[in-house]
Amino acid sequence: MGDAKPLQPSLNSSYVPTAFSDDQVSDDEEIEDLNPSASLLPRHSSVPLAVHYTPEDSYCLVYIIFFLMGISSLLPWNFFITAKHYWLYKLSNSTVNGSDEKQHSDVSDYFESYLSIASTVPSVLSSILNYLLVNRLSPNVRILSSLFVILLVFVVTTILVKVDTSNYTVGFFIGTLVSVAVVSGASNLFTGSMFGISAYFPMRVSQALISGQAMGGTLSAIASIVDLAASRDVTDSALAYFLTADVFILLCIIMYLLLPKLAYSRHYMLSRTSLGLINEEEEENGAGSRTTVSTPPPLQPILRKTWVLGLSVFYVFCVSISVFPAVSSGIQSVQTDQSPWTTTYFVPLTCFLLYNVADFCGRQTTAWLQVPGPTSRLLPILVLCRTIMVPLLMFCNYQPRNHLYTVFFTHDMYPVLFNCLLGLSNGYLGTLPMIYGPKVVPRDLAEAAGVVMSFFLILGLAVGSAFSILLVHAI
């Protein structure tokens, strides 16, 4: 009999590793390129071949699931802000179902600004809570509980569509803002948790999550336009609109439950668990101390690596939310005829649909082009240049105008162009820092870094929403 040879695991096996070294954290090399020092385990020549093996993402299922999770993360916000005709109808003083004669008030005229405040303030608080819960509560609990809360609120919103609230306009307004606040807090907890677990995956998965967010806005805009075209009654249109959201959120819950069953996702998600096992082994061998997983992760080393990227994300979304949708949705066609284009479809098409399509294109571009890099000074410079979008949109045909009476851009093509530029730059310049952030820190801080980057994003939305109220009243 010959010498016994060590058994080598088959590359076609379904082996799932329980520990990772630098070589196998990603099936592409972008993590190493961005942070060569971010090691979880030291390199050993005795690491078995199976540990170096990464399962394939069969049929791109994991990519698709994260894309759907991205859609659902901003779907509630987009469905609320896109249904402008429905909110104007509900918040007007009209008592005739389907009547076009509505008496506008401050509540209806500035509803988008109130909506932004109700959305972003609880989001900031939930971002802080999410960071504190990173090591205390599993991502599954945070994500699934958030999705169920969102689904519950949307079911209630759907039911209220057919309820006559004409005599309770203020009560309906307050209830809507409370619903938005609850949904926003849950959505941000969900988004931050998804960004956290995506940090353990290659960049393509993080990019899928962010691109899905833009697709959520595109789908909501398309659904709104289709419902407006298919139904003449405002409430029938809104009922179909919100039912679409209910079904999609339920689909996302099912798809997330499928995620841990896929070998590709288990391969990367186990890195969080394996980190705890490694610390325990190091303690037993006297090589180190065991990390207390119930304490929040250290913030200072994360901010030291990501503060420029975080401020870039903050300013990108601050500028965007200051004019979208509070200002951009108030821009009307310069044509004075009462055609369906000017009365019904101008705002849904030129504001919501074009912006979200351009935003999606900008985010999707980062899958092939990632310039400038994470340490380039050009990135924050480009981010600052977006400030010009604020006066450009303010001097389009926004109505009503109480202070700035001059309209410089007196053609319908101007808001079309400006909204496309706003969305394209938001998608591209907002995505790059988000996918860079978790990759420039040590790997054991990647999940926390994803949550921190999400916090900068939400903080930018909060500050921008407050600024949007000033802009609307200034016009």
Side-chain angles (χ1 to χ4, degrees), residues 236-429:
D236 288 343
S237 174
L239 182 63
Y241 183 63
F242 286 115
L243 278 174
T244 304
D246 297 338
V247 173
F248 192 88
I249 295 171
L250 183 61
L251 174 64
C252 286
I253 294 175
I254 296 173
M255 295 302 290
Y256 181 77
L257 293 175
L258 175 65
L259 186 64
K261 301 182 183 300
L262 302 176
Y264 183 81
S265 59
R266 289 201 308 269
H267 177 87
Y268 290 103
M269 293 173 73
L270 276 175
S271 63
R272 174 185 171 93
T273 305
S274 65
L275 179 60
L277 295 174
I278 293 163
N279 287 332
E280 186 175 8
E281 291 172 0
E282 288 179 347
E283 182 186 35
E284 294 173 355
N285 296 330
S289 60
R290 183 178 180 181
T291 302
T292 304
V293 296
S294 62
T295 59
L299 185 60
Q300 185 175 359
I302 297 175
L303 292 178
R304 188 183 304 118
K305 293 286 188 179
T306 64
W307 69 273
V308 174
L309 297 173
L311 289 179
S312 297
V313 169
F314 165 82
Y315 197 72
V316 165
F317 287 91
C318 179
V319 170
S320 297
I321 203 66
S322 65
V323 290
F324 176 85
V327 175
S328 59
S329 67
I331 298 174
Q332 300 179 9
S333 173
V334 296
Q335 301 178 23
T336 57
D337 62 312
Q338 294 299 310
S339 65
W341 163 253
T342 59
T343 59
T344 304
Y345 297 108
F346 182 79
V347 171
L349 284 171
T350 63
C351 173
F352 295 107
L353 181 60
L354 286 180
Y355 173 84
N356 284 295
V357 169
D359 187 29
F360 173 75
C361 292
R363 298 184 189 217
Q364 195 63 31
T365 303
T366 60
W368 307 289
L369 181 65
Q370 296 170 8
V371 177
T375 59
S376 173
R377 295 181 180 179
L378 181 60
L379 179 60
I381 293 175
L382 292 175
V383 168
L384 290 174
C385 289
R386 295 185 73 245
T387 310
I388 191 63
M389 300 306 305
V390 176
L392 290 179
L393 286 167
M394 287 178 65
F395 286 103
C396 288
N397 189 37
Y398 177 91
Q399 298 295 332
R401 307 182 75 88
N402 299 316
H403 300 94
L404 299 178
Y405 297 106
T406 304
V407 177
F408 290 152
F409 306 105
T410 56
H411 195 282
D412 287 348
M413 283 304 299
Y414 285 112
V416 169
L417 176 62
F418 296 156
N419 276 312
C420 287
L421 288 176
L422 182 71
L424 190 64
S425 59
N426 180 83
Y428 189 78
L429 295 177

Side-chain angles (χ1 to χ4, degrees), residues 11-28:
L11 292 181
N12 295 322
S13 68
S14 59
Y15 178 81
V16 179
T18 57
F20 303 88
S21 68
D22 286 345
D23 294 330
Q24 76 290 336
V25 169
S26 174
D27 50 2
D28 47 20

